[in-house]
Amino acid sequence: MATLIFCVLALLLVLVFLGVHVAVALGVASALGVYFLLGSADVALSVLSGTAYEALRKDIFIVIPLFVLMGGFVSHSGAAKDIYTISNRAFRRIPGCLAVATVSGNSIFAAITGVSIASAATFSRIAYPEMVALGYQKSYAVGVIAGSACLGMLIPPSILMIIWAVLTEISIGALFIAGLLPGVLLAICFILYCIITAKMNPQTAPPCPATFDADVSPAQRRSEWVSGIAILGLIGIVIGGIWGGFLTPTEAAGFGALGAFIVGLLKGMRRKEILNAIYVAGKTTAPIMILLITASMYSRFLAMGGAVGVIHETMFSISENPMILLAMIFAVWLVLGMFIDSTSIILLTVPIFAPIADLIGVNPLAFAIFGILVIEAGLLTPPFGLLIFTVKAAVPDPSVSLGMIFRGAIPYWIILLFVAITVLIFPFLTTWLPQNLL
C-alpha cells in the first residue's frame, strides 16, 4: 500500500513539473490511484464521479465567484484608481509617497478583490506610470507593485483563505478575522521599507513636488471621495457583517457583489464594463473550481489509501522535533512556489500538512496564515513567480524586464517570510481577534 501511495504521489509531481496542468495531473493521479486500490475501472470511475458531484454541491464555493465579481466591479468602475489617488494625496509629504500610496491602495483593494493577480494587474496600470513620471527608479516601482499585491491573499476576503478553510473545515469567518492583524503588520512592514529606502536614497524615490496634484477639479475630488466612502462601506458590509455575526461568508459575498455593482453604476459603469467584469470573474473562477473538483478526487484517494497516515509516519520517522517538521513543510512550500500557483500548492499539500501541524500542537489559524504567507511568497520566487509575470504583462513599458521586477521584489519576498515566521512564533497575532470578536 505504501509503495502505491508514493508511486501515485511521484507520478503527480512528475506530471506537474513536466508542465501538465495541475487539475489534469490531480485527476489522472487520483484515477489511477483509486483504480489500483479497488482493482476495477468501473468502480473507480463511479467513486470519483460521485466525489466530483458532491464537491460541486457545496454551496460554500459560491463565495469564490461572488468575491471575485465584487473586485471586478470595483476595478472596472475606476474606483481602484480613485483609492490610489486619495492615498497619494494623503501621503504626499512622506518619503516614497507614491510607493506608500501603492501599498495603502493595495491594502484597501485587497479587502475588496481577494486575488493577488488582480491587484498586480490593476496597480501596474495605475501606479507605475505615476511613479516613473515622478522619477522613481523602475525596479523600485515595479517591485513595490508586485510585492504589495501579495496583500490580496492575506487581507480578507481572500480566495486562498476560502480554499484553505474548505479543505481543513475551519470556519471561513474565523480565518478571515485571523488574517487582519498579520495583514496590517505586513502592510506596515512594506510601508516602512518604502520609506526607509526613499529616505536613504532619494534618487530611488524622489519627493513629491509642492504642486503635486494641485490641478484637480472639485468635481474630480468629489468623485474620488464618493469612491472612497463607497469602498469603505463595502468593506464594512463584508468584514463587519462577518465580524458582527450578522452575515455568513456566503451572504457577505452576495451583499458585497451587489454593493460593488451599485458603486459601479454610480461611477458610470455601463453595459460593456459590466459584462467585462462578469466575464473576467468567470475566467478567474472557472480554473479554481476545476482544481477544487480534482482536488476532492485527490483527497478521496488519500483517504481511501491511508496516504496521510503513511506520509505522516515517514515524516515523523525523519524527526519528531516540531521545528524540523515545520522547516520541512516550509521548504516544500518554497520549492513548489517556484513552479506552480498558490491555489494548486494549497490543494496538493494542505490535506497532508494540516494534520501534521495539528499533531505537533500548532494552532490551526496560525498555521493557515503562516502557510498562506509562505505560499504567497512563491508568487515572487524565480523562475515562475506568477505576480512577476503579471506585472511584466500589465506594465505599459517594454523596457521593464523580468529580472528588473524580480530584483525589485526581493525585499518584499524577505518581508513576507519574516512575517510568516513571526506569526508562527507569536500565534496570538492570528487568534486574538477571533477569540474576542467571534
Side-chain angles (χ1 to χ4, degrees):
M1 185 66 70
T3 302
L4 172 62
I5 289 167
F6 284 114
C7 285
V8 170
L9 292 178
L11 171 64
L12 175 60
L13 292 176
V14 168
L15 290 174
V16 169
F17 288 124
L18 285 176
V20 176
H21 192 280
V22 176
V24 176
L26 281 169
V28 170
S30 302
L32 288 175
V34 174
Y35 166 71
F36 283 113
L37 278 174
L38 300 177
S40 168
D42 291 337
V43 176
L45 289 174
S46 176
V47 169
L48 294 175
S49 61
T51 302
Y53 176 70
E54 289 300 320
L56 283 174
R57 290 185 63 194
K58 292 181 180 177
D59 58 356
I60 192 63
F61 287 151
I62 192 63
V63 173
I64 296 174
L66 286 174
F67 277 135
V68 174
L69 184 61
M70 181 173 71
F73 283 144
V74 170
S75 179
H76 285 79
S77 70
K81 180 172 176 58
D82 291 341
I83 294 170
Y84 177 69
T85 304
I86 292 170
S87 299
N88 282 349
R89 199 172 293 123
F91 298 113
R92 66 182 181 276
R93 301 186 187 279
I94 296 176
C97 60
L98 296 185
V100 173
T102 300
V103 175
S104 302
N106 256 313
S107 300
I108 298 171
F109 193 61
I112 295 295
T113 182
V115 182
S116 293
I117 300 289
S119 298
T122 300
F123 280 84
S124 294
R125 301 185 187 98
I126 294 172
Y128 179 79
E130 298 276 350
M131 286 191 273
V132 171
L134 199 60
Y136 277 50
Q137 190 180 79
K138 290 185 178 180
S139 63
Y140 178 82
V142 291
V144 70
I145 292 168
S148 60
C150 290
L151 292 164
M153 287 302 184
L154 186 61
I155 296 176
S158 160
I159 302 305
L160 290 189
M161 285 185 183
I162 296 168
I163 295 170
W164 191 297
V166 170
L167 290 175
T168 58
E169 298 183 353
I170 297 175
S171 162
I172 292 178
L175 194 50
F176 276 2
I177 303 302
L180 285 174
L181 285 181
V184 171
L185 174 62
L186 184 63
I188 290 172
C189 289
F190 284 168
I191 288 172
L192 288 175
Y193 167 73
C194 293
I195 293 173
I196 292 169
T197 303
K199 192 76 174 174
M200 292 177 63
N201 187 4
Q203 278 111 4
T204 299
C208 292
T211 57
F212 176 73
D213 216 21
D215 58 345
V216 179
S217 67
Q220 186 175 340
R221 288 183 186 269
R222 283 195 299 272
S223 176
E224 290 167 4
W225 281 108
V226 166
S227 295
I229 293 169
I231 290 206
L232 289 177
L234 283 177
I235 296 171
I237 290 171
V238 174
I239 306 301
I242 296 172
W243 190 328
F246 305 113
L247 301 172
T248 66
T250 306
E251 292 166 346
F255 278 110
L258 178 61
F261 177 70
I262 293 170
V263 170
L265 292 179
L266 292 175
K267 290 288 297 177
M269 191 169 64
R270 293 297 177 257
R271 183 175 180 273
K272 181 180 178 181
E273 290 81 9
I274 293 169
L275 291 177
N276 195 29
I278 295 171
Y279 169 74
V280 171
K283 188 177 178 182
T284 302
T285 303
I288 296 175
M289 301 305 292
I290 293 171
L291 275 169
L292 287 169
I293 292 170
T294 54
S296 297
M297 297 161 60
Y298 165 70
S299 297
R300 176 60 63 91
F301 162 70
L302 294 179
M304 292 176 63
V308 174
V310 171
I311 295 170
H312 288 182
E313 288 176 11
T314 303
M315 292 185 70
F316 278 101
S317 69
I318 297 172
S319 175
E320 294 185 3
N321 187 319
M323 297 306 297
I324 293 177
L325 290 169
L326 288 171
M328 291 166 60
I329 292 171
F330 182 86
V332 168
W333 278 336
L334 281 184
V335 172
L336 289 178
M338 296 179 186
F339 302 101
I340 57 179
D341 63 279
S342 302
T343 303
S344 300
I345 295 172
I346 287 178
L347 294 172
L348 287 169
T349 61
V350 168
I352 297 171
F353 290 161
I356 293 177
D358 192 48
L359 285 172
I360 61 179
V362 179
N363 181 276
L365 293 176
F367 185 70
I369 300 303
F370 164 75
I372 287 169
L373 282 164
V374 176
I375 292 169
E376 196 70 354
L379 294 179
L380 302 176
T381 307
F384 300 115
L386 291 181
L387 282 180
I388 305 299
F389 284 92
T390 301
V391 172
K392 168 63 178 170
V395 162
D397 184 351
S399 69
V400 173
S401 65
L402 288 172
M404 186 184 296
I405 306 172
F406 275 120
R407 285 194 301 273
I410 287 173
Y412 301 93
W413 182 84
I414 295 171
I415 292 170
L416 271 168
L417 297 183
F418 166 75
V419 174
I421 294 169
T422 301
V423 164
L424 204 58
I425 296 172
F426 304 106
F428 71 87
L429 289 170
T430 61
T431 59
W432 187 81
L433 281 179
Q435 286 173 354
N436 287 277
L437 298 175
L438 294 179

mmCIF file of all heavy atoms in Angstrom, residues 138-174:
data_model
loop_
_atom_site.group_PDB
_atom_site.id
_atom_site.type_symbol
_atom_site.label_atom_id
_atom_site.label_comp_id
_atom_site.label_asym_id
_atom_site.label_seq_id
_atom_site.Cartn_x
_atom_site.Cartn_y
_atom_site.Cartn_z
ATOM 1 N N LYS A 138 12.878 52.430 -11.848
ATOM 2 C CA LYS A 138 11.897 51.484 -12.386
ATOM 3 C C LYS A 138 11.818 50.194 -11.579
ATOM 4 O O LYS A 138 10.726 49.676 -11.324
ATOM 5 C CB LYS A 138 12.222 51.180 -13.850
ATOM 6 C CG LYS A 138 11.952 52.361 -14.781
ATOM 7 C CD LYS A 138 12.177 51.990 -16.234
ATOM 8 C CE LYS A 138 11.851 53.162 -17.147
ATOM 9 N NZ LYS A 138 12.058 52.829 -18.578
ATOM 10 N N SER A 139 12.978 49.647 -11.164
ATOM 11 C CA SER A 139 12.938 48.392 -10.409
ATOM 12 C C SER A 139 12.256 48.580 -9.059
ATOM 13 O O SER A 139 11.555 47.686 -8.567
ATOM 14 C CB SER A 139 14.350 47.838 -10.210
ATOM 15 O OG SER A 139 15.138 48.728 -9.441
ATOM 16 N N TYR A 140 12.437 49.760 -8.462
ATOM 17 C CA TYR A 140 11.771 50.065 -7.189
ATOM 18 C C TYR A 140 10.261 50.158 -7.407
ATOM 19 O O TYR A 140 9.474 49.649 -6.601
ATOM 20 C CB TYR A 140 12.316 51.390 -6.661
ATOM 21 C CG TYR A 140 11.695 51.893 -5.374
ATOM 22 C CD1 TYR A 140 12.117 51.416 -4.145
ATOM 23 C CD2 TYR A 140 10.707 52.872 -5.400
ATOM 24 C CE1 TYR A 140 11.562 51.888 -2.960
ATOM 25 C CE2 TYR A 140 10.142 53.356 -4.233
ATOM 26 C CZ TYR A 140 10.581 52.864 -3.013
ATOM 27 O OH TYR A 140 10.019 53.345 -1.852
ATOM 28 N N ALA A 141 9.868 50.779 -8.506
ATOM 29 C CA ALA A 141 8.434 50.969 -8.792
ATOM 30 C C ALA A 141 7.733 49.637 -9.035
ATOM 31 O O ALA A 141 6.687 49.352 -8.446
ATOM 32 C CB ALA A 141 8.265 51.889 -10.001
ATOM 33 N N VAL A 142 8.308 48.797 -9.908
ATOM 34 C CA VAL A 142 7.651 47.519 -10.195
ATOM 35 C C VAL A 142 7.746 46.561 -9.007
ATOM 36 O O VAL A 142 6.874 45.707 -8.794
ATOM 37 C CB VAL A 142 8.236 46.857 -11.470
ATOM 38 C CG1 VAL A 142 7.860 47.651 -12.700
ATOM 39 C CG2 VAL A 142 9.747 46.686 -11.371
ATOM 40 N N GLY A 143 8.815 46.722 -8.199
ATOM 41 C CA GLY A 143 8.967 45.879 -7.011
ATOM 42 C C GLY A 143 7.866 46.114 -6.001
ATOM 43 O O GLY A 143 7.293 45.162 -5.450
ATOM 44 N N VAL A 144 7.545 47.386 -5.769
ATOM 45 C CA VAL A 144 6.500 47.685 -4.778
ATOM 46 C C VAL A 144 5.129 47.239 -5.289
ATOM 47 O O VAL A 144 4.280 46.803 -4.506
ATOM 48 C CB VAL A 144 6.500 49.186 -4.406
ATOM 49 C CG1 VAL A 144 6.018 50.060 -5.548
ATOM 50 C CG2 VAL A 144 5.621 49.439 -3.189
ATOM 51 N N ILE A 145 4.908 47.305 -6.587
ATOM 52 C CA ILE A 145 3.633 46.854 -7.147
ATOM 53 C C ILE A 145 3.480 45.338 -6.974
ATOM 54 O O ILE A 145 2.452 44.855 -6.496
ATOM 55 C CB ILE A 145 3.532 47.240 -8.637
ATOM 56 C CG1 ILE A 145 3.422 48.763 -8.786
ATOM 57 C CG2 ILE A 145 2.324 46.568 -9.285
ATOM 58 C CD1 ILE A 145 3.606 49.251 -10.203
ATOM 59 N N ALA A 146 4.531 44.590 -7.355
ATOM 60 C CA ALA A 146 4.469 43.129 -7.247
ATOM 61 C C ALA A 146 4.398 42.693 -5.782
ATOM 62 O O ALA A 146 3.609 41.813 -5.419
ATOM 63 C CB ALA A 146 5.687 42.503 -7.930
ATOM 64 N N GLY A 147 5.220 43.316 -4.935
ATOM 65 C CA GLY A 147 5.268 42.923 -3.531
ATOM 66 C C GLY A 147 3.973 43.204 -2.797
ATOM 67 O O GLY A 147 3.425 42.332 -2.103
ATOM 68 N N SER A 148 3.457 44.410 -2.959
ATOM 69 C CA SER A 148 2.244 44.773 -2.210
ATOM 70 C C SER A 148 1.006 44.057 -2.730
ATOM 71 O O SER A 148 0.001 43.944 -2.025
ATOM 72 C CB SER A 148 2.032 46.290 -2.248
ATOM 73 O OG SER A 148 1.875 46.758 -3.573
ATOM 74 N N ALA A 149 1.063 43.531 -3.959
ATOM 75 C CA ALA A 149 -0.078 42.760 -4.478
ATOM 76 C C ALA A 149 -0.321 41.502 -3.654
ATOM 77 O O ALA A 149 -1.446 40.983 -3.619
ATOM 78 C CB ALA A 149 0.158 42.394 -5.941
ATOM 79 N N CYS A 150 0.719 41.020 -2.960
ATOM 80 C CA CYS A 150 0.561 39.825 -2.118
ATOM 81 C C CYS A 150 -0.443 40.052 -0.995
ATOM 82 O O CYS A 150 -0.971 39.078 -0.430
ATOM 83 C CB CYS A 150 1.909 39.426 -1.517
ATOM 84 S SG CYS A 150 3.078 38.766 -2.727
ATOM 85 N N LEU A 151 -0.699 41.295 -0.657
ATOM 86 C CA LEU A 151 -1.686 41.586 0.383
ATOM 87 C C LEU A 151 -3.073 41.085 -0.010
ATOM 88 O O LEU A 151 -3.924 40.846 0.851
ATOM 89 C CB LEU A 151 -1.735 43.093 0.651
ATOM 90 C CG LEU A 151 -0.488 43.695 1.312
ATOM 91 C CD1 LEU A 151 -0.487 45.214 1.160
ATOM 92 C CD2 LEU A 151 -0.419 43.307 2.780
ATOM 93 N N GLY A 152 -3.304 40.913 -1.307
ATOM 94 C CA GLY A 152 -4.609 40.474 -1.782
ATOM 95 C C GLY A 152 -5.021 39.105 -1.277
ATOM 96 O O GLY A 152 -6.212 38.803 -1.207
ATOM 97 N N MET A 153 -4.048 38.256 -0.924
ATOM 98 C CA MET A 153 -4.378 36.919 -0.448
ATOM 99 C C MET A 153 -4.352 36.801 1.066
ATOM 100 O O MET A 153 -4.625 35.733 1.605
ATOM 101 C CB MET A 153 -3.422 35.888 -1.050
ATOM 102 C CG MET A 153 -3.670 35.615 -2.502
ATOM 103 S SD MET A 153 -5.358 35.016 -2.822
ATOM 104 C CE MET A 153 -5.268 34.694 -4.580
ATOM 105 N N LEU A 154 -3.989 37.886 1.760
ATOM 106 C CA LEU A 154 -3.923 37.818 3.223
ATOM 107 C C LEU A 154 -5.012 38.639 3.886
ATOM 108 O O LEU A 154 -5.651 38.198 4.851
ATOM 109 C CB LEU A 154 -2.543 38.296 3.708
ATOM 110 C CG LEU A 154 -2.291 38.142 5.202
ATOM 111 C CD1 LEU A 154 -2.373 36.686 5.620
ATOM 112 C CD2 LEU A 154 -0.929 38.710 5.581
ATOM 113 N N ILE A 155 -5.228 39.852 3.385
ATOM 114 C CA ILE A 155 -6.281 40.693 3.944
ATOM 115 C C ILE A 155 -7.628 40.189 3.424
ATOM 116 O O ILE A 155 -7.835 40.078 2.224
ATOM 117 C CB ILE A 155 -6.062 42.168 3.569
ATOM 118 C CG1 ILE A 155 -4.762 42.678 4.207
ATOM 119 C CG2 ILE A 155 -7.243 43.031 3.999
ATOM 120 C CD1 ILE A 155 -4.386 44.090 3.848
ATOM 121 N N PRO A 156 -8.557 39.829 4.306
ATOM 122 C CA PRO A 156 -9.836 39.249 3.869
ATOM 123 C C PRO A 156 -10.696 40.253 3.115
ATOM 124 O O PRO A 156 -10.578 41.450 3.360
ATOM 125 C CB PRO A 156 -10.490 38.844 5.196
ATOM 126 C CG PRO A 156 -9.874 39.738 6.227
ATOM 127 C CD PRO A 156 -8.464 39.988 5.761
ATOM 128 N N PRO A 157 -11.556 39.758 2.181
ATOM 129 C CA PRO A 157 -11.767 38.349 1.839
ATOM 130 C C PRO A 157 -10.679 37.824 0.915
ATOM 131 O O PRO A 157 -10.243 38.538 0.019
ATOM 132 C CB PRO A 157 -13.117 38.372 1.125
ATOM 133 C CG PRO A 157 -13.165 39.725 0.483
ATOM 134 C CD PRO A 157 -12.454 40.654 1.432
ATOM 135 N N SER A 158 -10.226 36.615 1.144
ATOM 136 C CA SER A 158 -9.135 36.033 0.372
ATOM 137 C C SER A 158 -9.575 34.697 -0.206
ATOM 138 O O SER A 158 -10.115 33.860 0.514
ATOM 139 C CB SER A 158 -7.917 35.832 1.285
ATOM 140 O OG SER A 158 -7.023 34.890 0.748
ATOM 141 N N ILE A 159 -9.311 34.500 -1.486
ATOM 142 C CA ILE A 159 -9.675 33.243 -2.129
ATOM 143 C C ILE A 159 -8.884 32.083 -1.525
ATOM 144 O O ILE A 159 -9.423 30.991 -1.303
ATOM 145 C CB ILE A 159 -9.433 33.320 -3.653
ATOM 146 C CG1 ILE A 159 -10.238 34.485 -4.266
ATOM 147 C CG2 ILE A 159 -9.808 32.004 -4.323
ATOM 148 C CD1 ILE A 159 -11.711 34.440 -3.979
ATOM 149 N N LEU A 160 -7.595 32.319 -1.241
ATOM 150 C CA LEU A 160 -6.784 31.256 -0.642
ATOM 151 C C LEU A 160 -7.326 30.861 0.731
ATOM 152 O O LEU A 160 -7.315 29.680 1.100
ATOM 153 C CB LEU A 160 -5.320 31.698 -0.515
ATOM 154 C CG LEU A 160 -4.513 31.842 -1.800
ATOM 155 C CD1 LEU A 160 -3.046 32.078 -1.473
ATOM 156 C CD2 LEU A 160 -4.651 30.629 -2.692
ATOM 157 N N MET A 161 -7.782 31.834 1.504
ATOM 158 C CA MET A 161 -8.346 31.527 2.822
ATOM 159 C C MET A 161 -9.606 30.677 2.691
ATOM 160 O O MET A 161 -9.823 29.745 3.486
ATOM 161 C CB MET A 161 -8.671 32.827 3.568
ATOM 162 C CG MET A 161 -7.477 33.563 4.111
ATOM 163 S SD MET A 161 -8.010 34.996 5.082
ATOM 164 C CE MET A 161 -6.426 35.712 5.517
ATOM 165 N N ILE A 162 -10.425 30.996 1.703
ATOM 166 C CA ILE A 162 -11.657 30.221 1.499
ATOM 167 C C ILE A 162 -11.316 28.771 1.168
ATOM 168 O O ILE A 162 -11.886 27.832 1.740
ATOM 169 C CB ILE A 162 -12.507 30.850 0.382
ATOM 170 C CG1 ILE A 162 -12.975 32.248 0.789
ATOM 171 C CG2 ILE A 162 -13.709 29.970 0.055
ATOM 172 C CD1 ILE A 162 -13.577 33.050 -0.342
ATOM 173 N N ILE A 163 -10.362 28.581 0.256
ATOM 174 C CA ILE A 163 -9.974 27.230 -0.142
ATOM 175 C C ILE A 163 -9.372 26.478 1.046
ATOM 176 O O ILE A 163 -9.689 25.303 1.290
ATOM 177 C CB ILE A 163 -8.986 27.282 -1.325
ATOM 178 C CG1 ILE A 163 -9.682 27.870 -2.558
ATOM 179 C CG2 ILE A 163 -8.422 25.903 -1.632
ATOM 180 C CD1 ILE A 163 -8.748 28.192 -3.698
ATOM 181 N N TRP A 164 -8.490 27.156 1.794
ATOM 182 C CA TRP A 164 -7.867 26.528 2.965
ATOM 183 C C TRP A 164 -8.948 26.116 3.972
ATOM 184 O O TRP A 164 -8.898 25.006 4.524
ATOM 185 C CB TRP A 164 -6.879 27.495 3.602
ATOM 186 C CG TRP A 164 -5.986 26.880 4.657
ATOM 187 C CD1 TRP A 164 -6.377 26.323 5.843
ATOM 188 C CD2 TRP A 164 -4.568 26.731 4.599
ATOM 189 N NE1 TRP A 164 -5.295 25.856 6.532
ATOM 190 C CE2 TRP A 164 -4.173 26.086 5.797
ATOM 191 C CE3 TRP A 164 -3.591 27.096 3.676
ATOM 192 C CZ2 TRP A 164 -2.837 25.813 6.087
ATOM 193 C CZ3 TRP A 164 -2.261 26.812 3.970
ATOM 194 C CH2 TRP A 164 -1.897 26.180 5.155
ATOM 195 N N ALA A 165 -9.892 27.021 4.224
ATOM 196 C CA ALA A 165 -10.948 26.740 5.206
ATOM 197 C C ALA A 165 -11.804 25.553 4.776
ATOM 198 O O ALA A 165 -12.172 24.702 5.600
ATOM 199 C CB ALA A 165 -11.820 27.976 5.402
ATOM 200 N N VAL A 166 -12.111 25.452 3.480
ATOM 201 C CA VAL A 166 -12.915 24.333 2.989
ATOM 202 C C VAL A 166 -12.159 23.014 3.151
ATOM 203 O O VAL A 166 -12.726 22.002 3.585
ATOM 204 C CB VAL A 166 -13.291 24.559 1.503
ATOM 205 C CG1 VAL A 166 -13.913 23.302 0.907
ATOM 206 C CG2 VAL A 166 -14.261 25.724 1.379
ATOM 207 N N LEU A 167 -10.854 23.025 2.844
ATOM 208 C CA LEU A 167 -10.065 21.797 2.929
ATOM 209 C C LEU A 167 -9.896 21.310 4.364
ATOM 210 O O LEU A 167 -9.857 20.106 4.630
ATOM 211 C CB LEU A 167 -8.683 22.014 2.300
ATOM 212 C CG LEU A 167 -8.624 22.176 0.775
ATOM 213 C CD1 LEU A 167 -7.208 22.510 0.339
ATOM 214 C CD2 LEU A 167 -9.102 20.906 0.084
ATOM 215 N N THR A 168 -9.769 22.259 5.297
ATOM 216 C CA THR A 168 -9.464 21.892 6.684
ATOM 217 C C THR A 168 -10.674 21.981 7.602
ATOM 218 O O THR A 168 -10.553 21.706 8.796
ATOM 219 C CB THR A 168 -8.351 22.802 7.234
ATOM 220 O OG1 THR A 168 -8.779 24.169 7.152
ATOM 221 C CG2 THR A 168 -7.067 22.630 6.448
ATOM 222 N N GLU A 169 -11.816 22.421 7.051
ATOM 223 C CA GLU A 169 -13.056 22.567 7.825
ATOM 224 C C GLU A 169 -12.913 23.572 8.964
ATOM 225 O O GLU A 169 -13.538 23.444 10.012
ATOM 226 C CB GLU A 169 -13.525 21.200 8.352
ATOM 227 C CG GLU A 169 -13.836 20.222 7.235
ATOM 228 C CD GLU A 169 -14.374 18.897 7.738
ATOM 229 O OE1 GLU A 169 -14.379 18.686 8.966
ATOM 230 O OE2 GLU A 169 -14.789 18.072 6.904
ATOM 231 N N ILE A 170 -12.078 24.582 8.754
ATOM 232 C CA ILE A 170 -12.008 25.732 9.666
ATOM 233 C C ILE A 170 -13.101 26.707 9.258
ATOM 234 O O ILE A 170 -13.465 26.810 8.081
ATOM 235 C CB ILE A 170 -10.628 26.428 9.572
ATOM 236 C CG1 ILE A 170 -9.507 25.483 10.016
ATOM 237 C CG2 ILE A 170 -10.576 27.705 10.404
ATOM 238 C CD1 ILE A 170 -8.114 26.067 9.835
ATOM 239 N N SER A 171 -13.627 27.470 10.201
ATOM 240 C CA SER A 171 -14.617 28.499 9.891
ATOM 241 C C SER A 171 -13.997 29.563 8.975
ATOM 242 O O SER A 171 -12.929 30.107 9.271
ATOM 243 C CB SER A 171 -15.104 29.162 11.185
ATOM 244 O OG SER A 171 -15.732 30.388 10.912
ATOM 245 N N ILE A 172 -14.669 29.836 7.853
ATOM 246 C CA ILE A 172 -14.170 30.872 6.932
ATOM 247 C C ILE A 172 -14.144 32.231 7.638
ATOM 248 O O ILE A 172 -13.186 32.998 7.504
ATOM 249 C CB ILE A 172 -15.036 30.934 5.664
ATOM 250 C CG1 ILE A 172 -14.854 29.654 4.846
ATOM 251 C CG2 ILE A 172 -14.674 32.146 4.810
ATOM 252 C CD1 ILE A 172 -15.710 29.596 3.595
ATOM 253 N N GLY A 173 -15.205 32.527 8.406
ATOM 254 C CA GLY A 173 -15.247 33.803 9.117
ATOM 255 C C GLY A 173 -14.100 33.947 10.090
ATOM 256 O O GLY A 173 -13.459 35.007 10.170
ATOM 257 N N ALA A 174 -13.790 32.878 10.849
ATOM 258 C CA ALA A 174 -12.676 32.930 11.803
ATOM 259 C C ALA A 174 -11.349 33.133 11.087
ATOM 260 O O ALA A 174 -10.490 33.906 11.545
ATOM 261 C CB ALA A 174 -12.643 31.644 12.632
#
